[in-house]
Short mmCIF file of all heavy atoms in Angstrom, two decimals:
data_model
loop_
_atom_site.label_atom_id
_atom_site.label_comp_id
_atom_site.label_asym_id
_atom_site.label_seq_id
_atom_site.Cartn_x
_atom_site.Cartn_y
_atom_site.Cartn_z
N TYR W 37 -87.03 -48.66 -25.71
CA TYR W 37 -86.03 -49.62 -25.25
C TYR W 37 -84.72 -48.88 -24.63
O TYR W 37 -83.62 -49.08 -25.02
CB TYR W 37 -85.62 -50.63 -26.29
CG TYR W 37 -86.78 -51.28 -26.95
CD1 TYR W 37 -87.17 -50.80 -28.26
CD2 TYR W 37 -87.60 -52.26 -26.28
CE1 TYR W 37 -88.26 -51.42 -28.86
CE2 TYR W 37 -88.58 -52.79 -26.97
CZ TYR W 37 -89.00 -52.46 -28.25
OH TYR W 37 -90.07 -52.96 -28.92
N PHE W 38 -84.95 -47.83 -23.86
CA PHE W 38 -83.95 -46.90 -23.33
C PHE W 38 -82.95 -47.70 -22.53
O PHE W 38 -81.84 -47.55 -22.64
CB PHE W 38 -84.55 -45.83 -22.55
CG PHE W 38 -83.58 -44.85 -22.01
CD1 PHE W 38 -82.82 -43.96 -22.97
CD2 PHE W 38 -83.19 -44.75 -20.72
CE1 PHE W 38 -81.99 -43.04 -22.44
CE2 PHE W 38 -82.25 -44.03 -20.23
CZ PHE W 38 -81.60 -43.03 -21.07
N GLU W 39 -83.43 -48.57 -21.66
CA GLU W 39 -82.50 -49.44 -20.70
C GLU W 39 -81.57 -50.31 -21.56
O GLU W 39 -80.39 -50.32 -21.21
CB GLU W 39 -83.38 -50.17 -19.80
CG GLU W 39 -84.21 -49.39 -18.70
CD GLU W 39 -84.93 -50.17 -17.80
OE1 GLU W 39 -84.83 -51.33 -17.90
OE2 GLU W 39 -85.51 -49.67 -16.88
N GLU W 40 -82.10 -50.96 -22.61
CA GLU W 40 -81.30 -51.89 -23.43
C GLU W 40 -80.24 -50.98 -24.13
O GLU W 40 -79.07 -51.34 -24.28
CB GLU W 40 -82.15 -52.55 -24.51
CG GLU W 40 -82.89 -53.72 -23.92
CD GLU W 40 -84.20 -53.18 -23.17
OE1 GLU W 40 -84.40 -51.97 -23.15
OE2 GLU W 40 -84.93 -53.94 -22.52
N LEU W 41 -80.66 -49.77 -24.61
CA LEU W 41 -79.70 -48.90 -25.25
C LEU W 41 -78.55 -48.43 -24.43
O LEU W 41 -77.37 -48.34 -24.77
CB LEU W 41 -80.38 -47.58 -25.87
CG LEU W 41 -79.63 -46.68 -26.62
CD1 LEU W 41 -78.96 -47.35 -27.87
CD2 LEU W 41 -80.44 -45.44 -27.06
N VAL W 42 -78.95 -48.18 -23.01
CA VAL W 42 -77.91 -47.80 -22.10
C VAL W 42 -76.98 -48.85 -21.85
O VAL W 42 -75.72 -48.65 -21.85
CB VAL W 42 -78.50 -47.32 -20.85
CG1 VAL W 42 -77.53 -47.18 -19.65
CG2 VAL W 42 -79.34 -46.04 -21.01
N LYS W 43 -77.50 -50.20 -21.79
CA LYS W 43 -76.44 -51.22 -21.55
C LYS W 43 -75.63 -51.46 -22.71
O LYS W 43 -74.38 -51.83 -22.58
CB LYS W 43 -77.35 -52.51 -21.25
CG LYS W 43 -78.21 -52.56 -20.01
CD LYS W 43 -78.96 -53.78 -19.86
CE LYS W 43 -79.78 -53.67 -18.56
NZ LYS W 43 -80.61 -54.96 -18.51
N ILE W 44 -76.11 -51.33 -23.94
CA ILE W 44 -75.31 -51.55 -25.16
C ILE W 44 -74.24 -50.50 -25.21
O ILE W 44 -72.95 -50.73 -25.56
CB ILE W 44 -76.22 -51.42 -26.40
CG1 ILE W 44 -77.13 -52.71 -26.30
CG2 ILE W 44 -75.40 -51.55 -27.67
CD1 ILE W 44 -78.09 -52.74 -27.49
N THR W 45 -74.56 -49.23 -24.94
CA THR W 45 -73.55 -48.16 -25.15
C THR W 45 -72.74 -48.00 -23.93
O THR W 45 -71.56 -47.36 -24.02
CB THR W 45 -74.31 -46.78 -25.39
OG1 THR W 45 -75.11 -46.41 -24.26
CG2 THR W 45 -75.15 -46.82 -26.68
N GLY W 46 -73.16 -48.40 -22.71
CA GLY W 46 -72.33 -48.29 -21.59
C GLY W 46 -72.49 -46.86 -20.99
O GLY W 46 -71.72 -46.59 -20.09
N GLU W 47 -73.36 -46.11 -21.28
CA GLU W 47 -73.50 -44.61 -20.89
C GLU W 47 -74.43 -44.68 -19.77
O GLU W 47 -75.47 -45.44 -19.75
CB GLU W 47 -74.05 -43.73 -21.94
CG GLU W 47 -72.97 -43.68 -23.13
CD GLU W 47 -71.86 -42.74 -22.73
OE1 GLU W 47 -71.90 -42.02 -21.77
OE2 GLU W 47 -70.78 -42.79 -23.46
N CYS W 48 -74.17 -43.63 -18.85
CA CYS W 48 -75.21 -43.54 -17.73
C CYS W 48 -76.05 -42.30 -17.99
O CYS W 48 -75.51 -41.32 -18.52
CB CYS W 48 -74.35 -43.25 -16.38
SG CYS W 48 -73.33 -44.80 -15.93
N PRO W 49 -77.30 -42.40 -17.58
CA PRO W 49 -78.25 -41.21 -17.76
C PRO W 49 -77.71 -39.99 -16.93
O PRO W 49 -77.26 -40.09 -15.76
CB PRO W 49 -79.52 -41.82 -17.17
CG PRO W 49 -79.45 -43.26 -17.28
CD PRO W 49 -78.03 -43.56 -16.99
N GLN W 50 -77.78 -38.77 -17.49
CA GLN W 50 -77.41 -37.55 -16.91
C GLN W 50 -78.41 -36.54 -17.17
O GLN W 50 -79.24 -36.70 -18.09
CB GLN W 50 -76.00 -37.04 -17.46
CG GLN W 50 -74.87 -38.05 -17.18
CD GLN W 50 -73.61 -37.51 -17.63
OE1 GLN W 50 -73.45 -36.40 -18.06
NE2 GLN W 50 -72.49 -38.34 -17.57
N LYS W 51 -78.43 -35.46 -16.41
CA LYS W 51 -79.33 -34.33 -16.73
C LYS W 51 -78.80 -33.66 -17.93
O LYS W 51 -77.66 -33.20 -18.05
CB LYS W 51 -79.30 -33.35 -15.55
CG LYS W 51 -79.91 -33.88 -14.28
CD LYS W 51 -79.98 -32.95 -13.29
CE LYS W 51 -80.73 -33.43 -11.99
NZ LYS W 51 -80.60 -32.41 -10.86
N GLY W 52 -79.70 -33.50 -18.90
CA GLY W 52 -79.28 -32.86 -20.13
C GLY W 52 -79.09 -31.42 -20.05
O GLY W 52 -79.86 -30.68 -19.42
N ALA W 53 -78.01 -30.85 -20.63
CA ALA W 53 -77.65 -29.48 -20.76
C ALA W 53 -76.71 -29.13 -21.80
O ALA W 53 -75.88 -30.01 -22.03
CB ALA W 53 -77.13 -29.00 -19.32
N VAL W 54 -76.86 -28.05 -22.40
CA VAL W 54 -75.82 -27.54 -23.41
C VAL W 54 -75.24 -26.37 -23.07
O VAL W 54 -75.94 -25.36 -22.59
CB VAL W 54 -76.60 -27.36 -24.72
CG1 VAL W 54 -75.60 -26.78 -25.75
CG2 VAL W 54 -77.27 -28.62 -25.27
N ILE W 55 -73.81 -26.30 -22.94
CA ILE W 55 -73.06 -25.02 -22.56
C ILE W 55 -72.77 -24.23 -23.81
O ILE W 55 -72.03 -24.81 -24.76
CB ILE W 55 -71.87 -25.43 -21.78
CG1 ILE W 55 -72.14 -26.18 -20.61
CG2 ILE W 55 -71.03 -24.25 -21.52
CD1 ILE W 55 -70.93 -26.68 -19.72
N LEU W 56 -73.21 -23.07 -23.94
CA LEU W 56 -73.16 -22.27 -25.14
C LEU W 56 -71.59 -21.98 -25.15
O LEU W 56 -71.08 -21.54 -24.24
CB LEU W 56 -73.98 -21.07 -25.05
CG LEU W 56 -75.51 -21.37 -25.01
CD1 LEU W 56 -76.29 -20.08 -25.01
CD2 LEU W 56 -75.93 -22.24 -26.37
N SER W 57 -71.17 -21.86 -26.40
CA SER W 57 -69.83 -21.40 -26.66
C SER W 57 -69.71 -20.39 -27.80
O SER W 57 -70.59 -20.50 -28.72
CB SER W 57 -68.80 -22.56 -26.89
OG SER W 57 -69.20 -23.29 -28.04
N ARG W 58 -68.78 -19.54 -27.85
CA ARG W 58 -68.69 -18.52 -28.77
C ARG W 58 -67.54 -18.88 -29.80
O ARG W 58 -66.55 -19.46 -29.42
CB ARG W 58 -68.41 -17.13 -28.28
CG ARG W 58 -69.62 -16.61 -27.34
CD ARG W 58 -69.36 -15.31 -26.90
NE ARG W 58 -70.43 -14.75 -26.18
CZ ARG W 58 -70.75 -14.96 -24.92
NH1 ARG W 58 -69.80 -15.66 -24.18
NH2 ARG W 58 -71.72 -14.33 -24.18
N LYS W 59 -67.67 -18.38 -31.00
CA LYS W 59 -66.61 -18.48 -32.00
C LYS W 59 -65.42 -17.50 -31.61
O LYS W 59 -65.59 -16.64 -30.77
CB LYS W 59 -67.15 -18.03 -33.40
CG LYS W 59 -68.38 -18.86 -33.83
CD LYS W 59 -67.96 -20.13 -34.41
CE LYS W 59 -69.32 -20.90 -34.88
NZ LYS W 59 -68.97 -22.39 -35.17
N ASN W 60 -64.31 -17.87 -32.06
CA ASN W 60 -63.12 -17.00 -31.77
C ASN W 60 -63.42 -15.58 -32.25
O ASN W 60 -62.89 -14.67 -31.48
CB ASN W 60 -61.92 -17.55 -32.46
CG ASN W 60 -61.46 -18.90 -31.84
OD1 ASN W 60 -61.70 -19.18 -30.69
ND2 ASN W 60 -60.80 -19.69 -32.62
N LEU W 61 -63.97 -15.35 -33.34
CA LEU W 61 -64.25 -13.98 -33.78
C LEU W 61 -65.16 -13.18 -32.86
O LEU W 61 -64.96 -12.07 -32.59
CB LEU W 61 -64.86 -14.00 -35.22
CG LEU W 61 -65.07 -12.63 -35.90
CD1 LEU W 61 -63.74 -11.86 -35.96
CD2 LEU W 61 -65.68 -12.71 -37.18
N GLN W 62 -66.24 -14.02 -32.32
CA GLN W 62 -67.08 -13.33 -31.30
C GLN W 62 -66.29 -13.03 -30.07
O GLN W 62 -66.55 -11.97 -29.41
CB GLN W 62 -68.23 -14.32 -31.00
CG GLN W 62 -69.26 -14.52 -32.13
CD GLN W 62 -70.29 -15.52 -31.74
OE1 GLN W 62 -70.02 -16.60 -31.30
NE2 GLN W 62 -71.55 -15.19 -31.91
N LYS W 63 -65.40 -13.86 -29.60
CA LYS W 63 -64.63 -13.59 -28.42
C LYS W 63 -63.79 -12.37 -28.66
O LYS W 63 -63.73 -11.58 -27.73
CB LYS W 63 -63.75 -14.78 -28.12
CG LYS W 63 -64.56 -16.07 -27.63
CD LYS W 63 -63.63 -17.16 -27.36
CE LYS W 63 -64.39 -18.51 -26.85
NZ LYS W 63 -63.54 -19.55 -26.69
N LEU W 64 -63.20 -12.24 -29.79
CA LEU W 64 -62.33 -11.05 -30.16
C LEU W 64 -63.20 -9.71 -29.99
O LEU W 64 -62.77 -8.72 -29.44
CB LEU W 64 -61.69 -11.14 -31.53
CG LEU W 64 -60.88 -10.05 -31.93
CD1 LEU W 64 -59.73 -9.80 -30.93
CD2 LEU W 64 -60.35 -10.28 -33.31
N PHE W 65 -64.33 -9.80 -30.61
CA PHE W 65 -65.29 -8.73 -30.58
C PHE W 65 -65.61 -8.33 -29.13
O PHE W 65 -65.67 -7.10 -28.75
CB PHE W 65 -66.61 -8.85 -31.31
CG PHE W 65 -66.39 -8.72 -32.87
CD1 PHE W 65 -67.21 -9.48 -33.71
CD2 PHE W 65 -65.43 -7.95 -33.44
CE1 PHE W 65 -67.05 -9.25 -35.11
CE2 PHE W 65 -65.26 -7.69 -34.69
CZ PHE W 65 -66.10 -8.53 -35.66
N MET W 66 -65.87 -9.27 -28.30
CA MET W 66 -66.28 -9.07 -26.96
C MET W 66 -65.13 -8.46 -26.18
O MET W 66 -65.33 -7.43 -25.40
CB MET W 66 -66.69 -10.36 -26.27
CG MET W 66 -68.00 -10.98 -26.83
SD MET W 66 -69.44 -10.01 -26.30
CE MET W 66 -69.50 -10.26 -24.62
N VAL W 67 -63.93 -8.85 -26.34
CA VAL W 67 -62.84 -8.37 -25.70
C VAL W 67 -62.57 -7.03 -26.12
O VAL W 67 -62.34 -6.05 -25.22
CB VAL W 67 -61.52 -9.16 -25.92
CG1 VAL W 67 -60.31 -8.49 -25.40
CG2 VAL W 67 -61.58 -10.59 -25.31
#
Side-chain angles (χ1 to χ4, degrees):
Y37 311 107
F38 181 73
E39 294 182 359
E40 286 76 4
L41 181 60
V42 170
K43 292 178 181 180
I44 294 173
T45 59
E47 296 289 341
C48 296
Q50 298 180 6
K51 293 183 177 180
V54 176
I55 299 178
L56 299 179
S57 61
R58 294 182 176 87
K59 306 283 183 187
N60 290 334
L61 185 60
Q62 289 178 310
K63 292 179 180 179
L64 177 62
F65 281 154
M66 291 291 293
V67 170

